[in-house]
C-alpha cells in the first residue's frame, strides 16, 4: 500500500496521529487486527520471497557476510513463521489497562496506576526483515504506532512486508499510518527518526554494536539499548560431558549469526582434559573454527591461536573462542571483563556453583545447564520480541508486550481540595 507523505517528518506526524486511535482499540480488536496481518502475510508469500531475492542478490554483490545474509534471508518457511509469530502475539494477554498499583488516600481520593501505550515506537535495525514484522505486531498489540528504519540491505523485503501490513490495516478499518517507514529516505530518514523527540516516544536500535552506539549517542529520542552478544558458556569441573557437548554445539551451530549464539567457552582447568577434546571435536565436526588459548591447543589439534581481540569479538559465524580457566573465580573475572551483559550460562551439577554463578553474573539473562539460544522472546513465551535489552532501565532481557507500555496515574475524587 502506497505511502503518500513525502518527508520523514510528515510520516512521523502521521504515525503520531494514528497512534491516538490505535491506543483506543479494544483487546479483541487488536487481536483480530493481528490475525488479519498474519493472513495477509501468508497470502503474499511469493511476492515477499521475490522481493527478498532482490535484497539477497544485492547483498552478495556488495559482499555481505554469511551471518548477515542468513539474517536477511526470507524463504517460504521463514515467511510463514513470521505469520505464525504474529498470531502468537495476537493470542497474548493485552498489556494495556493493567492495574499496577491502587490505593485510597485518607481524604477519599482513589488512585490507580495503570499501563498505557507509549504512543509511537521507532526502531532502527539492519538486514533483519523479520524485525519489521515482529516490532509492528508487538507495537500494534500494545496499542502503539510504529516508525521503522530497516536499512538498505533489506529495503525491498521491508517495503513488501510493510505494504502488506498497511494493506491489512486499511482493510480492517484501522489507519494504515500506524505502520510507517523512513527506509526510502536512507540515512536522512535515520537521522530524522533519531531527532524526532516529541513525535516518537521511544527508539529501539537492533544490529551491530556500531549501529547501537550511534543511536545511543546521537538520538534525542529516549533509547532502549539492545546490545551485542559476546556470550559465554562456562564448563565447570562437574559438567557432564554429554551436557557440555550438546549445549556448546547447539549454542554455537544452530544459528551462529544471532546475538544469543555462544562466542566463548570457558573450561575449568581440572576438567579440561576430560571435556575439551570431545567438545572441540564435536564443534569442529560441525565446521566450527576454534580459536583457543595455549592450554586448549595442547589438548586438541586444529586450533587457531586465540588473540586478545577474540575474547571481545561477537563472531556471528562458525567461529568460537575457547579458554581454559583456573577456577570459577577466573571464569567470573573473564566474564566481567568481556561480557556485553546479554546472556551467560554455566554447565554444572554443583548446586553451590550454580547458585554463585546466578548471583554474581551481571547479565540480562543468566542460565544454568541450558543453551544460550533460549534467550529469545518467542522461547520465553512472548510470541515475538522487540529486541533483547542489555540496559538496566525499564526493560532488560527479551522485550515483549509489557515493555512497550508505560504508566499513568488515574485519580478519582469527589470534590477534594488540598489543604
Amino acid at each position: 500500500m502506497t505511502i503518500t507523505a513525502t518527508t520523514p517528518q510528515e510520516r512521523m506526524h502521521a504515525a503520531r496521529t494514528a497512534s491516538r486511535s490505535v491506543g483506543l482499540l479494544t483487546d479483541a480488536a487488536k487481536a483480530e487486527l493481528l490475525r488479519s496481518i498474519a493472513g495477509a502475510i501468508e497470502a503474499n508469500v511469493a511476492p515477499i520471497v521475490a522481493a527478498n531475492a532482490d535484497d539477497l542478490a544485492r547483498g552478495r554483490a556488495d559482499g555481505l557476510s554469511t551471518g548477515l545474509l542468513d539474517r536477511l534471508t526470507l524463504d517460504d518457511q521463514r515467511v510463514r513463521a513470521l505469520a505464525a509469530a504474529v498470531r502468537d502475539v495476537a493470542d497474548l494477554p493485552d498489556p494495556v489497562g493493567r492495574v499496577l498499583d491502587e490505593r485510597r488516600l485518607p481524604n477519599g481520593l482513589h488512585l490507580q496506576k495503570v499501563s498505557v501505550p507509549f504512543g509511537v515506537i521507532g526502531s532502527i535495525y539492519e538486514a533483519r526483515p523479520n524485525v519489521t514484522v515482529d516490532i509492528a505486531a508487538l507495537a500494534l498489540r500494545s496499542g502503539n504506532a510504529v516508525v521503522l528504519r530497516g536499512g538498505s540491505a533489506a529495503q525491498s523485503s521491508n517495503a513488501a512486508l510493510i505494504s502488506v501490513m498497511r494493506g491489512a490495516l486499511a482493510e480492517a478499518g484501522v489507519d494504515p499510518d500506524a505502520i510507517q517507514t523512513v527506509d526510502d529516505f536512507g540515512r536522512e530518514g535515520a537521522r530524522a527518526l533519531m531527532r524526532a523527540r516529541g513525535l516518537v516516544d521511544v527508539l529501539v536500535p537492533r544490529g551491530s554494536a556500531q549501529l547501537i552506539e550511534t543511536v545511543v549517542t546521537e538520538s534525542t529520542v529516549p533509547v532502549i539499548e539492545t546490545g551485542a552478544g559476546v556470550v559465554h558458556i562456562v564448563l565447570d569441573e562437574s559438567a557432564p560431558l554429554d551436557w557440555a557437548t550438546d549445549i556448546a554445539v547447539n549454542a554455537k551451530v544452530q544459528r551462529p549469526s544471532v546475538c544469543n549464539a555462544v562466542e566463548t567457552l570457558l573450561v575449568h582447568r581440572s576438567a579440561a582434559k576430560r571435556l575439551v577434546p570431545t567438545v572441540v571435536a564435536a564443534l569442529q565436526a560441525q565446521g566450527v573454527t576454534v580459536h583457543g588459548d595455549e592450554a586448549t591447543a595442547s589438548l586438541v589439534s586444529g586450533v587457531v591461536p586465540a588473540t586478545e581481540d577474540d575474547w571481545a569479538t561477537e563472531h556471528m559465524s562458525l567461529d568460537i573462542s575457547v579458554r581454559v580457566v583456573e577456577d570459577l573465580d577466573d571464569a567470573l573475572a573473564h566474564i566481567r571483563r568481556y561480557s556485553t551483559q546479554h546472556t551467560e550460562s554455566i554447565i554444572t551439577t554443583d548446586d553451590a556453583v550454580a547458585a554463585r554463578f546466578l548471583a554474581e553474573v551481571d547479565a540480562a539473562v543468566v542460565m544454568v545447564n541450558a543453551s544460550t539460544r533460549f534467550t529469545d522472546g518467542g522461547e520465553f513465551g512472548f510470541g515475538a520480541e522487540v529486541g533483547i535489552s542489555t540496559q538496566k532501565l525499564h526493560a532488560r532481557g527479551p522485550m515483549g508486550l509489557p515493555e512497550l507500555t508505560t504508566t499513568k496515574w488515574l485519580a478519582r475524587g469527589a470534590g477534594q481540595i488540598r489543604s
Side-chain angles (χ1 to χ4, degrees), residues 230-252:
V230 180
V231 172
H232 301 79
I233 293 178
V234 177
L235 304 184
D236 180 49
E237 60 182 333
S238 67
L241 179 59
D242 57 342
W243 289 6
T245 304
D246 292 346
I247 290 172
V249 170
N250 176 262
K252 178 75 265 182

Side-chain angles (χ1 to χ4, degrees), residues 234-239 268 271 274-275 346-350 353:
V234 177
L235 304 184
D236 180 49
E237 60 182 333
S238 67
H268 196 295
R274 179 175 63 87
L275 298 175
I346 189 169
I347 314 305
T348 183
T349 57
D350 187 321
V353 168

Side-chain angles (χ1 to χ4, degrees), residues 16 77 187 192 196 248 250:
R16 169 61 68 186
Q77 182 178 359
R187 292 183 179 178
N250 176 262

